[in-house]
Amino acid sequence: MAERSPWPYPRWVAHRGAGKLAPENTLAAFRFGAAHGYRMFECDAKLSADGVPFLMHDATLDRTTNGRGIGGQQTWSALSQLDAGGWHSRAFAGEPLPTLENLARFCLANDYLLNIEIKPTPGTERETGEVVAREAARLWKGAAIAPFLTSFQVESLKGAAAVQPELPRGLLLDSLRKGWLDTALELGCQAIVCNHALWNVDTVAQVHGAGLRSLSYTVNDDWAAQRLIALGTDGIITDRVDLFSPAG
């Protein structure tokens, strides 16, 4: 069995700041999650047309802003003018899109930890991994605990590893495709982050035996959380910051 390196992150991670209780990937959401006691957050980062890492899950702007079209094809100047809160509720109307730097300042000022999912606009996988990793290394320089970089995109993780190999990385999976564990090891990952239903006694043992950590998304039911805790998994990403106490 491979020896696992120390894991500095807490078990509970707030998905996109506060799940569905506030507009995802906005500073309002991270403040909301923090108010519920969470000290680690997950976010999605992609690049504007002029190379600024900003927070957004979808490739298109339509669902979570008042903009239209592909976010990565617009400049940061244009993106910064959008309303990223009004779609959720009137209470959050006018909430702007944050840059990764905006969120880094919030986390560092409050001693919060971050899982940055590299979420490239299709066709920019390698570049997005490189830029996000460089920016993360710059922003967290000297910090006691670095951000944890994850992605579904192998090319994004390769890009991150090439420019900032010291930053911890995790491979995101929605299915256990052939060679999934070998891929994570080849990428130099410290963790596998997958759909919580994929974990069982055997898969957890494989991952832990390889010296990696086992994390799950997106866990919103108590029965699922209890199953994962009983299996000995290492991290749970949840929307339900109102249901699960991060001290649990």
Side-chain angles (χ1 to χ4, degrees):
M1 178 178 289
E3 183 177 350
R4 293 193 293 167
S5 58
W7 189 249
Y9 307 107
R11 179 191 298 277
W12 290 98
V13 182
H15 188 225
R16 304 180 195 171
K20 302 180 187 306
L21 301 177
E24 63 185 62
N25 285 310
T26 65
L27 288 179
F30 298 103
R31 294 190 186 100
F32 197 98
H36 281 74
Y38 280 72
R39 55 181 294 266
M40 184 167 179
F41 305 98
E42 184 264 0
C43 72
D44 301 289
K46 52 174 31 75
L47 302 183
S48 66
D50 47 348
V52 176
F54 72 101
L55 305 191
M56 175 168 282
H57 177 273
D58 298 4
T60 57
L61 298 165
D62 304 52
R63 181 175 65 88
T64 57
T65 77
N66 62 340
R68 297 290 181 269
I70 297 173
Q73 294 180 352
Q74 299 196 25
T75 64
W76 174 245
S77 177
L79 294 166
S80 68
Q81 303 303 310
L82 297 177
D83 176 357
W87 68 274
H88 181 276
S89 57
R90 292 178 66 181
F92 294 107
E95 187 70 22
L97 287 170
T99 62
L100 181 59
E101 182 165 1
N102 295 147
L103 181 56
R105 290 176 178 172
F106 171 76
C107 289
L108 290 166
N110 293 284
D111 199 26
Y112 298 141
L113 303 176
L114 193 62
N115 166 198
I116 305 169
E117 181 182 342
I118 304 168
K119 200 78 174 177
T121 301
T124 68
E125 288 79 8
R126 176 87 183 200
E127 177 191 8
T128 304
E130 292 175 353
V131 174
V132 168
R134 285 197 190 99
E135 186 75 344
R138 179 183 73 83
L139 293 167
W140 273 268
K141 184 177 181 180
I145 301 176
F148 174 47
L149 307 183
T150 59
S151 189
F152 286 99
Q153 303 298 326
V154 168
E155 284 303 311
S156 293
L157 290 173
K158 285 182 178 178
V163 299
Q164 297 294 336
E166 74 287 354
L167 291 179
R169 296 176 301 283
L171 176 62
L172 276 159
L173 295 171
D174 55 11
S175 64
L176 297 183
R177 59 180 180 263
K178 184 178 179 180
W180 59 275
L181 184 53
D182 289 339
T183 298
L185 292 170
E186 290 165 5
L187 289 167
C189 289
Q190 285 72 42
I192 298 281
V193 187
C194 68
N195 184 308
H196 66 88
L198 299 175
W199 291 124
N200 56 41
V201 171
D202 291 337
T203 52
V204 172
Q206 286 182 68
V207 168
H208 287 177
L212 306 186
R213 302 287 173 160
S214 54
L215 286 78
S216 302
Y217 69 87
T218 304
V219 181
N220 294 331
D221 298 298
D222 186 64
W223 65 265
Q226 294 306 316
R227 188 182 81 87
L228 295 165
I229 291 168
L231 284 170
T233 62
D234 302 289
I236 296 175
I237 301 170
T238 184
D239 290 322
R240 295 300 307 274
V241 300
D242 57 332
L243 175 62
F244 296 116
S245 167

